[in-house]
Amino acid sequence: MIGGGNITEITHFILLGFSDFPRIIVVLFVVFLAIYILTLTWNLSLLILIRMDSHLHTPMYFFLSNLSFMDICYVTSTAPKMLYDFFQERQTITFVACAVQYFVFSTMGLSESCLMTAMAYDRYAAICNPLLYSSVMSPALCGRMVLGSYLAGLSATVFQLCAMLQLHFCGPNVINHFFCDLPQLLVLSCTDTFFLHLLTIILTMIFGVINVSVIMISYVYIVISIMKITTGSGRSKAFNTCASHLTAVTLFYTSGIYLVTVSWNLGLIAVIRMDSRLHTPMYFFLSNLSLLDTCYISIIAPRMLSDFFRKHKLISFTGCIMQYFLFSSLGLTECSLLAAMAYDCYVAICSPLLYTATMCPSLCLQMVAGSCVTGFLGSFIQLCALLQLHFCGPNIINHFFCDLPQLLTLSCSDTLFFQVMTSVLTVIFGLMSVLVIMISYGYIVATIVKITSAEGRSKAFNTCASHLTAVTLFFGSGIFVYMYPNSGGSSSQSKLASVLYTVIIPMLNPLIYSLRNKEIKDALSIRKKKLFSWCY
């Protein structure tokens, strides 16, 4: 430490690493050493093999060799220091070494993110435009894409490093991690970190949202192209061409489910908005469902993701109440909207000749507005009752967001009135919505059975199959959590069910409504042709 006046500037940090597990420290060392050696061996072997075999001198393997090189640098930036610290009494690291370690780690991570995107485009060109593949993916373009990935990762990290070097560390110097990562350093800083937080968010949006969006758009076109292949062997060969890359992307972007969800839903809204053929009641409801899902997951996921890197996962009472209010409002709105979409399916199948007159634009708008008003009104009633509760005992919520069953458990006030009111709202929004949906589908099934041709029955069923799937997932997981709160209001099963309807379902809805939908596929195909003609 360097002292100057009343300020003590920290020049060394202590890495706690895996010191919490002293009894298995040798086992951990052996396991991580083996993983590091295997990682180096596999990636170096792959580099040598691609270099030596002329058959592998193709764009795909050129990208793969650079990915292997990045992985070697990526793991080497943290693993040797971590392994060395296993048997050190004081696991210290200088501020300069800490900054350099983060610089290399971040540069390789961001570069790999860009390279994954370049590889997705390569797979798109290989499957969607095989005849033009060699001319499109020329050596010059491949070299520029790889170089661009390195420069983009390096430039972004330089910005972060310059901002990080402006920080001062004058308090605790213990990093509860095995390497110098940014969240831990920001917690220890005694200067204002707002600018660095803002910069990190901007870079995350640029490298996260844009890269994931490009990857997802590429794979949408790839899936469309694969589905057009008539032979099973052809589809299998096309899928195997990109399966490895898709697996690597999924593993790399595990925490990017939120970004994927936002990208897919916003992409679906954009497609519906841009294609005049999709300006129908069904797609009007679908675009509003996508908007709801985007807002729905944005209330939960950002906070949940930031908590992964916080030692103290605190949330104020006001923040907790507002999170539940918005989450509940959108959830109740989605209940009503799904019921409205069921009625739309009923009119389309049971009264096709009157569909245009019945589902007029003004009625559709009134149904969506009514869903929003009733959802926010129901949640506002809950909010008023929730604000009357007192919390004077334990304050630990065994969940990843502020949900109602956990809040009621912690309250030291009488919650009988609140539980009765919640039951009434559950009946109004849950059972009535389900009842409307079930009655609609009762008439739909009766109408489909009367259709004589198999093709007509299949077409009618496909009209409402996506909606029925979304309804089953949404209400099924919700019933498990809220109809049986005593069986696991804070249990692992309840958490998993909550993850399903707060994170997974909003991500799946665009896929559910797109993959079996000819109009969406045609709209995407037209966009692809326009993009392709513009590029070439």
Side-chain angles (χ1 to χ4, degrees):
M1 296 184 182
I2 301 173
N6 296 324
I7 300 176
T8 302
E9 186 74 17
I10 291 173
T11 58
H12 289 73
F13 295 103
I14 299 173
L15 294 168
L16 291 184
F18 297 95
S19 56
D20 293 337
F21 309 98
R23 295 183 179 180
I24 58 170
I25 200 74
V26 176
V27 176
L28 289 175
F29 174 80
V30 172
V31 170
F32 287 126
L33 178 62
I35 291 172
Y36 179 54
I37 292 173
L38 285 173
T39 303
L40 290 182
T41 304
W42 287 343
N43 282 287
L44 285 173
S45 299
L46 191 59
L47 277 170
I48 294 170
L49 181 63
I50 293 172
R51 178 68 177 172
M52 293 177 64
D53 194 328
S54 59
H55 293 95
L56 302 181
H57 293 174
T58 62
M60 183 176 85
Y61 292 106
F62 174 69
F63 289 128
L64 184 56
S65 62
N66 279 277
L67 181 65
S68 292
F69 176 73
M70 286 181 183
D71 284 337
I72 292 171
C73 299
Y74 194 65
V75 71
T76 303
S77 67
T78 57
K81 173 64 178 174
M82 175 189 70
L83 294 169
Y84 175 77
D85 283 342
F86 267 110
F87 302 105
Q88 297 299 311
E89 185 176 349
R90 287 183 59 82
Q91 300 162 3
T92 60
I93 184 171
T94 65
F95 174 74
V96 174
C98 193
V100 171
Q101 185 185 60
Y102 177 74
F103 174 75
V104 176
F105 167 79
S106 177
T107 300
M108 290 298 119
L110 295 177
S111 298
E112 187 162 332
S113 174
C114 296
L115 187 65
M116 289 282 191
T117 307
M119 293 173 76
Y121 179 77
D122 172 69
R123 294 301 82 208
Y124 157 76
I127 294 174
C128 300
N129 302 293
L131 298 179
L132 297 173
Y133 179 68
S134 299
S135 59
V136 172
M137 298 304 297
S138 62
L141 177 62
C142 294
R144 288 197 295 268
M145 291 173 81
V146 170
L147 181 61
S149 298
Y150 282 110
L151 290 178
L154 180 65
S155 301
T157 307
V158 166
F159 280 118
Q160 282 186 306
L161 182 66
C162 292
M164 195 161 69
L165 292 175
Q166 305 302 314
L167 300 180
H168 295 281
F169 300 89
C170 48
N173 67 333
V174 178
I175 298 176
N176 189 15
H177 211 338
F178 60 90
F179 74 102
C180 293
D181 202 4
L182 188 59
Q184 286 72 29
L185 292 173
L186 293 180
V187 170
L188 296 180
S189 176
C190 54
T191 49
D192 184 15
T193 59
F194 173 77
F195 173 73
L196 190 48
H197 272 294
L198 181 62
L199 178 63
T200 303
I201 292 172
I202 293 172
L203 291 175
T204 301
M205 293 295 291
I206 294 173
F207 283 86
V209 174
I210 293 179
N211 286 340
V212 170
S213 297
V214 171
I215 291 171
M216 294 318 304
I217 290 170
S218 299
Y219 273 99
V220 166
Y221 289 137
I222 287 171
V223 169
I224 292 171
S225 297
I226 290 175
M227 292 177 69
K228 291 179 180 178
I229 299 174
T230 55
T231 62
S233 60
R235 285 195 297 268
S236 177
K237 183 179 179 181
F239 176 76
N240 288 334
T241 303
C242 57
S244 300
H245 174 259
L246 188 58
T247 303
V249 166
T250 303
L251 292 173
F252 186 79
Y253 286 105
T254 300
S255 61
I257 291 177
Y258 170 62
L259 299 175
V260 170
T261 303
V262 172
S263 301
W264 281 353
N265 280 287
L266 292 180
L268 188 58
I269 293 172
V271 169
I272 293 171
R273 177 70 177 171
M274 293 169 66
D275 196 314
S276 59
R277 296 177 304 167
L278 302 180
H279 294 174
T280 63
M282 184 176 103
Y283 294 107
F284 174 70
F285 290 127
L286 182 55
S287 62
N288 280 278
L289 180 66
S290 292
L291 180 61
L292 277 178
D293 283 337
T294 302
C295 299
Y296 195 65
I297 193 175
S298 296
I299 294 165
I300 306 296
R303 171 80 197 188
M304 177 184 69
L305 293 172
S306 66
D307 281 343
F308 277 119
F309 303 100
R310 293 183 181 182
K311 184 177 181 181
H312 301 291
K313 302 171 176 61
L314 302 176
I315 186 170
S316 66
F317 176 72
T318 303
C320 190
I321 296 299
M322 287 307 298
Q323 185 186 57
Y324 177 73
F325 170 70
L326 294 173
F327 162 76
S328 174
S329 299
L330 295 173
L332 296 178
T333 300
E334 188 158 334
C335 283
S336 303
L337 187 62
L338 288 172
M341 293 173 76
Y343 178 75
D344 174 68
C345 288
Y346 156 75
V347 177
I349 294 174
C350 300
S351 305
L353 298 178
L354 297 174
Y355 180 71
T356 305
T358 303
M359 299 303 296
C360 60
S362 60
L363 177 62
C364 295
L365 188 60
Q366 288 168 8
M367 293 173 80
V368 170
S371 299
C372 295
V373 170
T374 53
F376 275 85
L377 180 62
S379 188
F380 181 73
I381 295 171
Q382 284 184 308
L383 177 66
C384 293
L386 200 58
L387 291 174
Q388 304 303 313
L389 299 181
H390 296 282
F391 298 88
C392 47
N395 65 336
I396 297 175
I397 298 176
N398 187 14
H399 214 335
F400 59 88
F401 72 102
C402 293
D403 204 3
L404 189 59
Q406 288 73 29
L407 292 174
L408 293 181
T409 301
L410 296 179
S411 175
C412 52
S413 307
D414 183 13
T415 60
L416 177 63
F417 170 75
F418 199 104
Q419 288 176 337
V420 171
M421 183 192 64
T422 302
S423 299
V424 172
L425 290 173
T426 301
V427 170
I428 294 173
F429 284 90
L431 296 184
M432 286 188 66
S433 295
V434 170
L435 188 62
V436 170
I437 292 169
M438 290 179 66
I439 292 173
S440 298
Y441 275 99
Y443 284 115
I444 288 171
V445 170
T447 303
I448 291 176
V449 170
K450 294 177 182 177
I451 300 174
T452 55
S453 67
E455 184 182 353
R457 284 197 298 270
S458 177
K459 184 178 179 181
F461 176 75
N462 287 335
T463 302
C464 56
S466 300
H467 175 260
L468 189 58
T469 304
V471 165
T472 304
L473 289 173
F474 183 81
F475 283 102
S477 56
I479 287 171
F480 179 85
V481 173
Y482 296 108
M483 295 299 286
Y484 303 100
N486 293 330
S487 67
S490 58
S491 65
S492 299
Q493 293 89 343
S494 178
K495 286 183 185 179
L496 289 175
S498 298
V499 169
L500 180 64
Y501 72 81
T502 58
V503 178
I504 303 300
I505 290 176
M507 180 183 71
L508 292 179
N509 275 341
L511 283 179
I512 292 171
Y513 282 98
S514 300
L515 291 182
R516 292 180 61 87
N517 192 301
K518 186 177 183 300
E519 287 83 2
I520 292 286
K521 293 175 190 174
D522 290 343
L524 289 173
S525 179
I526 290 172
R527 298 298 153 198
K528 178 183 76 171
K529 290 177 181 177
K530 287 184 177 180
L531 178 64
F532 187 74
S533 63
W534 179 77
C535 291
Y536 298 101

